[in-house]
Amino acid sequence: MRSRDEIGIGLFGFGFFFSFLGIILFFDRGLLALGNIFCLLGVALLLGWQSTWRLFTNKNNYKGSVSFLLGLFLIFVRWPIAGIIIEIFGCVNLFSVFWPSIKIFIFQVPVLGWILQYPFMLLDHLTKRG
């Protein structure tokens, strides 16, 4: 793993942590803004600057890009709850092409993967008996 990737993962992790902390602390605007900036920098370092630019400017991703940036703007102008809701919508639209890869990765994490897979395994087991 290159050092750029390690720094990108670290920045993304800090961004997620600060965003989570900002939500827990009653939508603290400063922590949410810091978390968003760290997440954006982490994604940019992981994907590369040109790939990140193409991701945000791709014609199919305009709805996600505009929603994400509008949510970030709303956080900066002191509307954090509306900003987070719009940002979540933007992230889901923007990164929807990565969900299958993310799902496979999360299912392979030792404890978390088993916990998330258990309801599906139980449902599969119940449908085979019936």
Side-chain angles (χ1 to χ4, degrees):
M1 194 184 250
R2 297 181 308 203
S3 65
R4 187 183 80 181
D5 294 341
E6 292 172 355
I7 293 170
I9 290 172
L11 283 174
F12 188 77
F14 276 124
F16 186 76
F17 173 72
F18 282 123
S19 295
F20 178 73
L21 197 60
I23 291 171
I24 294 296
L25 294 173
F26 304 111
F27 292 94
D28 181 50
R29 187 174 64 97
L31 288 173
L32 290 172
L34 192 62
N36 283 324
I37 292 169
F38 280 162
C39 281
L40 279 176
L41 287 174
V43 167
L45 285 175
L46 282 172
L47 295 178
W49 298 107
Q50 290 179 341
S51 296
T52 304
W53 180 256
R54 279 186 298 222
L55 176 71
F56 277 93
T57 58
N58 187 356
K59 199 171 202 171
N60 297 330
N61 295 338
Y62 276 156
K63 186 175 14 173
S65 299
V66 169
S67 298
F68 183 80
L69 294 175
L70 179 66
L72 186 62
F73 174 75
L74 287 175
I75 287 173
F76 285 137
V77 296
R78 300 180 186 250
W79 287 33
I81 296 173
I84 285 295
I85 291 170
I86 293 173
E87 267 190 10
I88 290 171
F89 175 76
C91 282
V92 168
N93 281 327
L94 195 60
F95 297 110
S96 62
V97 295
F98 297 114
W99 288 124
S101 301
I102 292 170
K103 185 179 104 175
I104 290 170
F105 173 76
I106 288 176
F107 280 173
Q108 291 178 351
V109 173
V111 175
L112 183 66
W114 185 81
I115 291 170
L116 293 176
Q117 284 181 8
Y118 184 72
F120 298 111
M121 290 188 306
L122 183 64
L123 184 63
D124 187 45
H125 181 70
L126 290 174
T127 57
K128 285 184 180 178
R129 286 189 169 194

